[in-house]
Amino acid sequence: MRRVQPVRVGSKELIREINSSLVLGELRGGLVSRTELAKRTGLSLPTVSEIVAELIGSGVIEERETASSGGGRRPVLLGLRPDAGYVIGIKVTETRVIAVLTDLNAGIVERTTVSLVGDDVDTVVEAVATVVKQLRAGTAISSPRQAAAPAAASGGAADRAPAPDAAPDAAPAALGGVAGGAPAPAPVYGVGVGLAGVIDRATGVVRHATYADWRDVDLAAELERRIGLPVVVDNDVNTLVANEQWFGAGRGVSDVAVVSIGRGVGLGMVLDGRLYRGAGGGAGEFGHTKVVADGPLCDCGGRGCLEALIGEPAILEAAGCDTVEEAAELARGGNQGVKDVFDQVGRTLGTAVGNLVNLLNPKLIVLAGEGTRSSDLFLPGFEDALQHAVFDGLQRELDVVVDDWDDEAWAQGAAGLFLGELFQPNLRPDEADRPSLTKRSA
Protein backbone atom coordinates (compact mmCIF):
# COMPACT_ATOMS: atom_id res chain seq x y z
CA MET A 1 0.00 0.00 0.00
CA ARG A 2 1.30 3.44 -0.91
CA ARG A 3 1.66 6.04 1.78
CA VAL A 4 -0.28 9.28 1.44
CA GLN A 5 2.10 11.97 0.19
CA PRO A 6 2.45 14.96 2.53
CA VAL A 7 1.59 18.41 1.22
CA ARG A 8 3.51 21.59 1.97
CA VAL A 9 2.17 23.55 4.90
CA GLY A 10 0.00 26.42 3.73
CA SER A 11 1.81 29.74 3.57
CA LYS A 12 1.75 33.03 1.72
CA GLU A 13 4.59 31.78 -0.46
CA LEU A 14 2.70 28.63 -1.44
CA ILE A 15 -0.41 30.68 -2.25
CA ARG A 16 1.73 33.00 -4.36
CA GLU A 17 3.16 30.05 -6.30
CA ILE A 18 -0.31 28.63 -6.91
CA ASN A 19 -1.52 32.02 -8.12
CA SER A 20 1.54 32.32 -10.36
CA SER A 21 0.68 28.95 -11.83
CA LEU A 22 -2.81 30.19 -12.68
CA VAL A 23 -1.39 33.23 -14.45
CA LEU A 24 1.21 31.21 -16.35
CA GLY A 25 -1.42 28.67 -17.36
CA GLU A 26 -3.45 31.39 -19.06
CA LEU A 27 -0.39 32.85 -20.77
CA ARG A 28 0.48 29.47 -22.27
CA GLY A 29 -2.61 29.86 -24.42
CA GLY A 30 -1.58 33.17 -25.97
CA LEU A 31 -1.37 36.92 -25.37
CA VAL A 32 -3.52 38.21 -22.50
CA SER A 33 -3.86 41.57 -20.73
CA ARG A 34 -3.61 42.02 -16.96
CA THR A 35 -7.30 42.79 -16.73
CA GLU A 36 -8.24 39.69 -18.70
CA LEU A 37 -5.91 37.58 -16.54
CA ALA A 38 -7.76 38.78 -13.45
CA LYS A 39 -11.11 37.81 -15.01
CA ARG A 40 -9.93 34.37 -16.11
CA THR A 41 -8.12 33.41 -12.90
CA GLY A 42 -10.47 35.03 -10.40
CA LEU A 43 -7.54 36.84 -8.80
CA SER A 44 -7.68 40.51 -7.93
CA LEU A 45 -6.08 42.94 -10.37
CA PRO A 46 -3.47 44.09 -7.78
CA THR A 47 -2.50 40.42 -7.18
CA VAL A 48 -2.21 39.78 -10.91
CA SER A 49 -0.13 42.94 -11.37
CA GLU A 50 2.24 41.88 -8.59
CA ILE A 51 2.68 38.38 -10.05
CA VAL A 52 3.17 39.78 -13.55
CA ALA A 53 5.83 42.19 -12.29
CA GLU A 54 7.76 39.29 -10.69
CA LEU A 55 7.49 37.11 -13.81
CA ILE A 56 8.65 39.97 -16.03
CA GLY A 57 11.53 40.60 -13.63
CA SER A 58 12.56 36.95 -13.80
CA GLY A 59 12.45 37.04 -17.61
CA VAL A 60 9.75 34.39 -17.99
CA ILE A 61 7.12 36.67 -19.53
CA GLU A 62 7.20 40.00 -21.34
CA GLU A 63 4.98 42.80 -22.52
CA ARG A 64 4.37 42.29 -26.23
CA GLU A 65 1.96 44.82 -27.69
CA THR A 66 -1.15 46.83 -26.99
CA ALA A 67 -4.62 45.58 -27.81
CA SER A 68 -7.42 47.53 -29.41
CA SER A 69 -9.71 49.37 -27.04
CA GLY A 70 -13.27 50.62 -27.26
CA GLY A 71 -12.18 53.76 -25.48
CA GLY A 72 -9.67 54.84 -22.91
CA ARG A 73 -6.22 53.43 -22.38
CA ARG A 74 -5.26 50.52 -24.63
CA PRO A 75 -4.42 47.38 -22.58
CA VAL A 76 -0.91 45.95 -22.79
CA LEU A 77 -0.79 42.30 -23.80
CA LEU A 78 1.49 39.86 -22.01
CA GLY A 79 3.06 36.65 -23.31
CA LEU A 80 5.57 33.98 -22.45
CA ARG A 81 9.16 34.44 -23.51
CA PRO A 82 9.69 31.19 -25.40
CA ASP A 83 13.48 31.55 -25.18
CA ALA A 84 13.43 32.03 -21.41
CA GLY A 85 14.31 28.36 -20.97
CA TYR A 86 14.48 25.03 -22.71
CA VAL A 87 13.43 21.41 -22.22
CA ILE A 88 14.67 18.25 -23.92
CA GLY A 89 12.17 15.63 -25.10
CA ILE A 90 13.18 12.07 -25.95
CA LYS A 91 11.49 9.04 -27.51
CA VAL A 92 13.19 5.70 -27.00
CA THR A 93 12.34 3.08 -29.62
CA GLU A 94 13.70 -0.41 -30.19
CA THR A 95 16.45 0.87 -32.45
CA ARG A 96 16.88 4.61 -31.91
CA VAL A 97 16.78 7.48 -29.46
CA ILE A 98 15.08 10.52 -31.00
CA ALA A 99 15.57 13.81 -29.16
CA VAL A 100 14.47 17.43 -29.54
CA LEU A 101 15.28 20.62 -27.70
CA THR A 102 12.19 22.81 -27.26
CA ASP A 103 11.48 26.27 -25.94
CA LEU A 104 8.81 27.08 -23.35
CA ASN A 105 6.12 26.90 -26.03
CA ALA A 106 7.28 23.37 -26.96
CA GLY A 107 8.58 24.71 -30.27
CA ILE A 108 11.48 22.62 -31.59
CA VAL A 109 14.82 24.45 -31.59
CA GLU A 110 17.25 21.58 -32.23
CA ARG A 111 16.97 17.88 -32.99
CA THR A 112 19.22 14.83 -33.01
CA THR A 113 19.03 11.03 -33.25
CA VAL A 114 21.37 8.20 -32.25
CA SER A 115 21.11 4.48 -32.96
CA LEU A 116 20.88 1.93 -30.18
CA VAL A 117 23.37 -0.93 -30.24
CA GLY A 118 21.53 -2.86 -27.54
CA ASP A 119 18.45 -2.75 -25.32
CA ASP A 120 20.05 -3.09 -21.87
CA VAL A 121 19.62 -0.26 -19.39
CA ASP A 122 23.22 0.96 -19.51
CA THR A 123 23.17 1.22 -23.30
CA VAL A 124 19.94 3.22 -23.31
CA VAL A 125 21.16 5.52 -20.51
CA GLU A 126 24.37 6.24 -22.43
CA ALA A 127 22.45 6.92 -25.62
CA VAL A 128 20.17 9.37 -23.82
CA ALA A 129 23.21 11.05 -22.26
CA THR A 130 24.73 11.37 -25.73
CA VAL A 131 21.73 13.13 -27.27
CA VAL A 132 21.38 15.43 -24.26
CA LYS A 133 25.03 16.40 -24.58
CA GLN A 134 24.65 17.01 -28.31
CA LEU A 135 21.60 19.23 -27.88
CA ARG A 136 23.13 21.28 -25.09
CA ALA A 137 26.44 21.69 -26.87
CA GLY A 138 24.87 22.75 -30.14
CA THR A 139 23.05 25.80 -28.79
CA ALA A 140 23.74 29.01 -26.88
CA ILE A 141 21.94 27.73 -23.82
CA SER A 142 23.39 26.81 -20.48
CA SER A 143 23.17 24.21 -17.82
CA PRO A 144 21.00 25.44 -14.93
CA ARG A 145 24.01 26.16 -12.75
CA GLN A 146 25.74 28.18 -15.49
CA ALA A 147 22.63 30.29 -15.96
CA ALA A 148 23.08 31.63 -12.45
CA ALA A 149 26.83 32.14 -12.69
CA PRO A 150 28.47 35.44 -13.68
CA ALA A 151 29.77 35.59 -17.21
CA ALA A 152 33.48 35.42 -17.72
CA ALA A 153 35.24 38.64 -18.61
CA SER A 154 35.83 37.52 -22.16
CA GLY A 155 32.13 36.89 -22.71
CA GLY A 156 32.99 34.51 -25.56
CA ALA A 157 30.87 31.59 -26.67
CA ALA A 158 33.36 29.14 -25.23
CA ASP A 159 32.75 30.59 -21.78
CA ARG A 160 29.06 29.75 -22.06
CA ALA A 161 29.39 26.22 -23.44
CA PRO A 162 27.79 23.63 -21.12
CA ALA A 163 29.90 20.91 -19.57
CA PRO A 164 29.26 17.41 -20.93
CA ASP A 165 27.54 16.37 -17.73
CA ALA A 166 26.11 18.88 -15.28
CA ALA A 167 26.41 18.28 -11.57
CA PRO A 168 23.47 16.20 -10.30
CA ASP A 169 22.56 18.80 -7.69
CA ALA A 170 22.31 21.64 -10.19
CA ALA A 171 19.03 23.56 -9.88
CA PRO A 172 17.57 25.91 -12.46
CA ALA A 173 17.92 29.54 -11.53
CA ALA A 174 15.88 32.58 -12.43
CA LEU A 175 16.75 34.34 -15.63
CA GLY A 176 18.10 37.82 -15.56
CA GLY A 177 21.19 39.96 -15.91
CA VAL A 178 24.64 38.83 -14.87
CA ALA A 179 27.82 40.66 -13.95
CA GLY A 180 28.90 43.15 -16.57
CA GLY A 181 25.34 43.60 -17.81
CA ALA A 182 25.38 40.63 -20.20
CA PRO A 183 22.20 38.50 -20.22
CA ALA A 184 22.42 35.09 -18.61
CA PRO A 185 22.03 32.22 -21.07
CA ALA A 186 18.69 30.48 -20.61
CA PRO A 187 18.73 27.17 -18.74
CA VAL A 188 17.76 23.69 -19.80
CA TYR A 189 15.24 22.86 -17.09
CA GLY A 190 15.04 19.13 -17.58
CA VAL A 191 14.30 16.12 -19.77
CA GLY A 192 11.13 14.24 -20.63
CA VAL A 193 11.48 10.63 -21.81
CA GLY A 194 8.86 8.41 -23.40
CA LEU A 195 9.12 4.68 -24.04
CA ALA A 196 6.73 1.77 -24.44
CA GLY A 197 5.83 -0.09 -21.28
CA VAL A 198 4.20 0.11 -17.87
CA ILE A 199 5.77 3.10 -16.16
CA ASP A 200 5.09 4.54 -12.73
CA ARG A 201 5.12 8.21 -13.61
CA ALA A 202 5.26 9.34 -9.98
CA THR A 203 8.51 7.48 -9.26
CA GLY A 204 10.05 7.25 -12.73
CA VAL A 205 10.29 3.47 -12.41
CA VAL A 206 9.80 1.32 -15.51
CA ARG A 207 7.80 -1.63 -14.17
CA HIS A 208 7.90 -3.40 -17.50
CA ALA A 209 9.40 -2.35 -20.83
CA THR A 210 7.55 -3.58 -23.90
CA TYR A 211 10.57 -4.17 -26.13
CA ALA A 212 13.27 -4.97 -23.57
CA ASP A 213 13.71 -7.31 -20.63
CA TRP A 214 13.36 -4.60 -17.99
CA ARG A 215 11.64 -5.07 -14.66
CA ASP A 216 11.39 -2.34 -11.99
CA VAL A 217 14.14 -0.17 -13.46
CA ASP A 218 14.44 3.24 -11.78
CA LEU A 219 15.16 4.90 -15.10
CA ALA A 220 14.52 8.48 -13.95
CA ALA A 221 17.08 8.17 -11.15
CA GLU A 222 19.62 6.48 -13.45
CA LEU A 223 19.29 9.26 -16.01
CA GLU A 224 19.38 12.07 -13.46
CA ARG A 225 22.65 10.70 -12.06
CA ARG A 226 24.11 10.45 -15.55
CA ILE A 227 23.05 13.77 -17.09
CA GLY A 228 22.59 15.99 -14.04
CA LEU A 229 19.13 17.25 -14.95
CA PRO A 230 15.64 16.50 -13.60
CA VAL A 231 13.99 13.74 -15.62
CA VAL A 232 10.36 12.76 -16.18
CA VAL A 233 9.69 9.27 -17.59
CA ASP A 234 6.32 8.21 -18.97
CA ASN A 235 4.67 5.80 -21.36
CA ASP A 236 5.35 6.92 -24.91
CA VAL A 237 1.68 7.10 -25.88
CA ASN A 238 1.17 9.63 -23.09
CA THR A 239 3.80 11.79 -24.74
CA LEU A 240 1.76 11.63 -27.93
CA VAL A 241 -1.29 12.73 -25.93
CA ALA A 242 0.73 15.69 -24.66
CA ASN A 243 1.56 16.65 -28.24
CA GLU A 244 -2.11 16.43 -29.18
CA GLN A 245 -2.94 18.77 -26.29
CA TRP A 246 -0.25 21.27 -27.31
CA PHE A 247 -0.55 21.24 -31.09
CA GLY A 248 -3.16 18.77 -32.33
CA ALA A 249 -6.89 18.24 -32.46
CA GLY A 250 -6.93 17.62 -28.70
CA ARG A 251 -6.13 21.21 -27.80
CA GLY A 252 -8.86 22.48 -25.49
CA VAL A 253 -10.76 19.15 -25.49
CA SER A 254 -11.34 17.71 -22.01
CA ASP A 255 -12.08 14.08 -22.96
CA VAL A 256 -9.77 12.53 -25.55
CA ALA A 257 -8.60 9.01 -26.37
CA VAL A 258 -5.46 8.70 -28.49
CA VAL A 259 -5.05 5.24 -30.05
CA SER A 260 -1.60 4.55 -31.46
CA ILE A 261 -1.21 1.80 -34.02
CA GLY A 262 1.94 0.36 -35.49
CA ARG A 263 3.95 -2.61 -34.38
CA GLY A 264 1.85 -2.48 -31.22
CA VAL A 265 -1.37 -0.81 -30.15
CA GLY A 266 -1.44 1.73 -27.35
CA LEU A 267 -3.84 4.14 -25.72
CA GLY A 268 -3.51 7.47 -23.98
CA MET A 269 -6.45 9.17 -22.30
CA VAL A 270 -7.38 12.64 -21.18
CA LEU A 271 -10.42 12.36 -18.91
CA ASP A 272 -12.04 15.44 -17.47
CA GLY A 273 -9.09 17.50 -18.68
CA ARG A 274 -6.40 15.39 -16.99
CA LEU A 275 -4.06 12.79 -18.43
CA TYR A 276 -5.15 9.46 -16.96
CA ARG A 277 -2.42 6.97 -16.10
CA GLY A 278 -4.13 4.57 -13.71
CA ALA A 279 -3.06 3.53 -10.22
CA GLY A 280 0.41 2.34 -11.22
CA GLY A 281 0.97 3.87 -14.64
CA GLY A 282 -0.46 0.87 -16.50
CA ALA A 283 -3.63 2.41 -17.93
CA GLY A 284 -3.82 2.28 -21.70
CA GLU A 285 -2.66 -1.26 -22.51
CA PHE A 286 -5.40 -1.27 -25.12
CA GLY A 287 -3.46 -3.61 -27.39
CA HIS A 288 -3.72 -6.36 -24.80
CA THR A 289 -7.47 -6.31 -24.42
CA LYS A 290 -8.77 -9.68 -25.56
CA VAL A 291 -10.97 -9.50 -28.66
CA VAL A 292 -10.94 -13.12 -29.90
CA ALA A 293 -11.21 -16.07 -27.54
CA ASP A 294 -8.26 -18.44 -28.10
CA GLY A 295 -7.03 -16.16 -30.89
CA PRO A 296 -3.47 -15.85 -32.19
CA LEU A 297 -0.60 -15.82 -29.74
CA CYS A 298 0.56 -12.34 -28.68
CA ASP A 299 4.09 -11.30 -27.70
CA CYS A 300 2.76 -10.80 -24.16
CA GLY A 301 2.06 -14.54 -23.91
CA GLY A 302 -1.71 -14.18 -24.10
CA ARG A 303 -4.03 -15.11 -26.93
CA GLY A 304 -6.52 -13.06 -28.87
CA CYS A 305 -5.07 -9.64 -28.00
CA LEU A 306 -6.05 -6.73 -30.23
CA GLU A 307 -2.36 -6.15 -30.97
CA ALA A 308 -1.92 -9.73 -32.17
CA LEU A 309 -4.70 -9.16 -34.70
CA ILE A 310 -3.98 -5.69 -36.10
CA GLY A 311 -0.36 -4.91 -35.21
CA GLU A 312 2.28 -4.68 -37.92
CA PRO A 313 3.48 -8.32 -37.57
CA ALA A 314 -0.09 -9.57 -37.99
CA ILE A 315 -0.58 -7.49 -41.15
CA LEU A 316 2.69 -8.72 -42.66
CA GLU A 317 1.88 -12.35 -41.94
CA ALA A 318 -1.62 -12.10 -43.41
CA ALA A 319 -0.47 -10.14 -46.46
CA GLY A 320 2.67 -12.22 -47.05
CA CYS A 321 4.83 -9.10 -47.25
CA ASP A 322 8.08 -7.93 -45.68
CA THR A 323 6.95 -4.37 -44.92
CA VAL A 324 3.66 -2.58 -44.36
CA GLU A 325 4.63 -0.19 -47.15
CA GLU A 326 4.86 -3.12 -49.55
CA ALA A 327 1.48 -4.43 -48.41
CA ALA A 328 -0.11 -1.00 -48.77
CA GLU A 329 1.30 -0.63 -52.29
CA LEU A 330 -0.19 -3.98 -53.28
CA ALA A 331 -3.57 -3.05 -51.82
CA ARG A 332 -3.62 0.31 -53.55
CA GLY A 333 -2.66 -1.46 -56.76
CA GLY A 334 -5.79 -3.59 -56.61
CA ASN A 335 -4.64 -6.80 -54.89
CA GLN A 336 -7.98 -7.88 -53.40
CA GLY A 337 -6.50 -10.29 -50.88
CA VAL A 338 -4.29 -7.60 -49.33
CA LYS A 339 -7.13 -5.07 -49.51
CA ASP A 340 -9.21 -7.50 -47.45
CA VAL A 341 -6.43 -7.70 -44.87
CA PHE A 342 -6.52 -3.93 -44.31
CA ASP A 343 -10.33 -3.93 -44.32
CA GLN A 344 -10.37 -6.55 -41.57
CA VAL A 345 -7.79 -4.56 -39.59
CA GLY A 346 -10.08 -1.54 -39.78
CA ARG A 347 -13.15 -3.50 -38.71
CA THR A 348 -11.39 -5.12 -35.77
CA LEU A 349 -10.00 -1.78 -34.65
CA GLY A 350 -13.38 -0.06 -35.13
CA THR A 351 -15.15 -2.59 -32.93
CA ALA A 352 -12.48 -2.28 -30.23
CA VAL A 353 -12.60 1.54 -30.32
CA GLY A 354 -16.39 1.33 -30.20
CA ASN A 355 -16.13 -0.58 -26.93
CA LEU A 356 -13.77 2.12 -25.69
CA VAL A 357 -16.31 4.81 -26.56
CA ASN A 358 -19.03 2.90 -24.73
CA LEU A 359 -16.85 2.80 -21.61
CA LEU A 360 -15.40 6.32 -21.57
CA ASN A 361 -17.66 8.46 -23.79
CA PRO A 362 -14.82 10.67 -25.12
CA LYS A 363 -15.47 13.72 -27.28
CA LEU A 364 -12.51 12.95 -29.53
CA ILE A 365 -10.78 9.82 -30.80
CA VAL A 366 -7.35 10.35 -32.38
CA LEU A 367 -5.77 7.58 -34.43
CA ALA A 368 -2.00 8.05 -34.50
CA GLY A 369 1.26 6.21 -34.99
CA GLU A 370 3.06 4.83 -38.01
CA GLY A 371 0.14 2.53 -38.79
CA THR A 372 -1.97 5.50 -39.86
CA ARG A 373 0.12 5.81 -43.05
CA SER A 374 -2.21 3.17 -44.49
CA SER A 375 -5.36 4.73 -43.01
CA ASP A 376 -6.87 5.19 -46.47
CA LEU A 377 -7.02 1.40 -46.68
CA PHE A 378 -8.55 0.61 -43.29
CA LEU A 379 -10.70 3.68 -42.49
CA PRO A 380 -13.82 2.58 -44.44
CA GLY A 381 -13.99 -0.69 -42.49
CA PHE A 382 -13.09 1.12 -39.25
CA GLU A 383 -15.88 3.68 -39.61
CA ASP A 384 -18.48 1.04 -40.45
CA ALA A 385 -17.54 -1.16 -37.49
CA LEU A 386 -17.34 1.83 -35.14
CA GLN A 387 -20.83 2.94 -36.09
CA HIS A 388 -22.23 -0.51 -35.36
CA ALA A 389 -20.32 -0.91 -32.08
CA VAL A 390 -21.07 2.43 -30.38
CA PHE A 391 -24.14 2.56 -28.15
CA ASP A 392 -27.00 4.68 -29.46
CA GLY A 393 -26.52 8.36 -28.56
CA LEU A 394 -22.80 8.24 -27.78
CA GLN A 395 -21.68 8.81 -31.37
CA ARG A 396 -23.58 12.07 -31.83
CA GLU A 397 -20.87 14.26 -30.33
CA LEU A 398 -17.94 11.99 -31.21
CA ASP A 399 -15.19 13.20 -33.51
CA VAL A 400 -12.56 10.92 -35.04
CA VAL A 401 -9.36 12.30 -36.58
CA VAL A 402 -6.20 10.72 -37.97
CA ASP A 403 -2.86 12.35 -37.08
CA ASP A 404 0.19 10.96 -38.86
CA TRP A 405 2.72 12.04 -36.22
CA ASP A 406 6.33 10.95 -36.70
CA ASP A 407 8.80 9.95 -33.96
CA GLU A 408 9.93 13.55 -33.56
CA ALA A 409 6.41 14.50 -32.54
CA TRP A 410 6.51 11.85 -29.80
CA ALA A 411 9.78 13.36 -28.53
CA GLN A 412 8.22 16.82 -28.66
CA GLY A 413 5.35 15.46 -26.58
CA ALA A 414 7.83 14.14 -24.02
CA ALA A 415 9.17 17.67 -23.70
CA GLY A 416 5.57 18.84 -23.33
CA LEU A 417 5.06 16.53 -20.35
CA PHE A 418 8.04 18.10 -18.59
CA LEU A 419 6.85 21.58 -19.52
CA GLY A 420 3.48 20.80 -17.96
CA GLU A 421 5.20 20.27 -14.62
CA LEU A 422 7.42 23.30 -15.08
CA PHE A 423 4.32 25.52 -14.98
CA GLN A 424 3.03 23.92 -11.77
CA PRO A 425 3.91 24.82 -8.16
CA ASN A 426 5.78 22.36 -5.94
CA LEU A 427 3.02 21.16 -3.63
CA ARG A 428 4.90 18.44 -1.74
CA PRO A 429 7.98 18.82 0.46
CA ASP A 430 9.83 16.20 -1.62
CA GLU A 431 9.39 18.39 -4.70
CA ALA A 432 11.50 21.22 -3.33
CA ASP A 433 14.25 20.63 -5.90
CA ARG A 434 11.90 20.21 -8.85
CA PRO A 435 12.20 23.17 -11.23
CA SER A 436 9.12 25.38 -11.38
CA LEU A 437 8.56 28.72 -13.09
CA THR A 438 6.27 29.66 -10.20
CA LYS A 439 9.14 29.94 -7.72
CA ARG A 440 10.11 33.41 -6.61
CA SER A 441 13.26 34.75 -8.24
CA ALA A 442 16.37 34.59 -6.10
Side-chain angles (χ1 to χ4, degrees), residues 102-114:
T102 78
D103 58 26
L104 294 186
N105 279 332
I108 296 176
V109 178
E110 297 282 349
R111 50 182 57 79
T112 190
T113 300
V114 299

Side-chain angles (χ1 to χ4, degrees), residues 70-343:
R73 186 178 179 181
R74 299 176 68 184
V76 176
L77 298 181
L78 304 161
L80 285 176
R81 276 190 55 205
D83 61 351
Y86 299 90
V87 168
I88 292 172
I90 293 172
K91 174 176 171 62
V92 178
T93 73
E94 291 178 87
T95 59
R96 299 186 301 161
V97 172
I98 302 97
V100 296
L101 180 81
T102 78
D103 58 26
L104 294 186
N105 279 332
I108 296 176
V109 178
E110 297 282 349
R111 50 182 57 79
T112 190
T113 300
V114 299
S115 298
L116 285 173
V117 296
D119 61 6
D120 60 284
V121 176
D122 288 342
T123 297
V124 173
V125 167
E126 283 305 309
V128 170
T130 296
V131 295
V132 169
K133 179 180 178 181
Q134 289 174 352
L135 290 174
R136 290 168 69 179
T139 66
I141 57 180
S142 72
S143 67
R145 175 167 290 171
Q146 288 167 317
S154 66
D159 300 309
R160 298 193 303 271
D165 298 289
D169 61 347
L175 299 172
V178 294
V188 177
Y189 281 101
V191 180
V193 178
L195 70 158
V198 177
I199 298 164
D200 189 332
R201 165 65 194 83
T203 62
V205 173
V206 179
R207 299 299 180 194
H208 165 72
T210 302
Y211 303 126
D213 187 23
W214 294 8
R215 294 291 188 278
D216 296 324
V217 174
D218 194 348
L219 186 60
E222 291 279 347
L223 290 173
E224 286 178 354
R225 280 193 292 268
R226 182 66 181 84
I227 65 180
L229 289 170
V231 175
V232 167
V233 181
D234 209 336
N235 177 274
D236 58 353
V237 183
N238 288 339
T239 71
L240 197 59
V241 174
N243 208 347
E244 279 292 340
Q245 289 182 295
W246 276 83
F247 302 109
R251 187 164 188 170
V253 183
S254 59
D255 292 277
V256 183
V258 178
V259 179
S260 69
I261 52 178
R263 174 179 172 181
V265 179
L267 172 67
M269 295 166 282
V270 175
L271 304 178
D272 241 357
R274 298 179 65 87
L275 184 60
Y276 183 75
R277 295 181 173 90
E285 290 297 331
F286 188 46
H288 298 291
T289 54
K290 305 300 185 281
V291 294
V292 175
D294 297 322
L297 183 66
C298 179
D299 286 344
C300 73
R303 287 190 174 275
C305 295
L306 177 63
E307 184 172 302
L309 292 167
I310 70 167
E312 183 177 303
I315 293 175
L316 298 181
E317 182 178 354
C321 296
D322 294 326
T323 67
V324 173
E325 290 76 17
E326 178 190 351
E329 185 176 351
L330 287 173
R332 294 184 183 112
N335 185 307
Q336 190 59 49
V338 182
K339 286 174 67 176
D340 290 343
V341 169
F342 282 103
D343 181 71

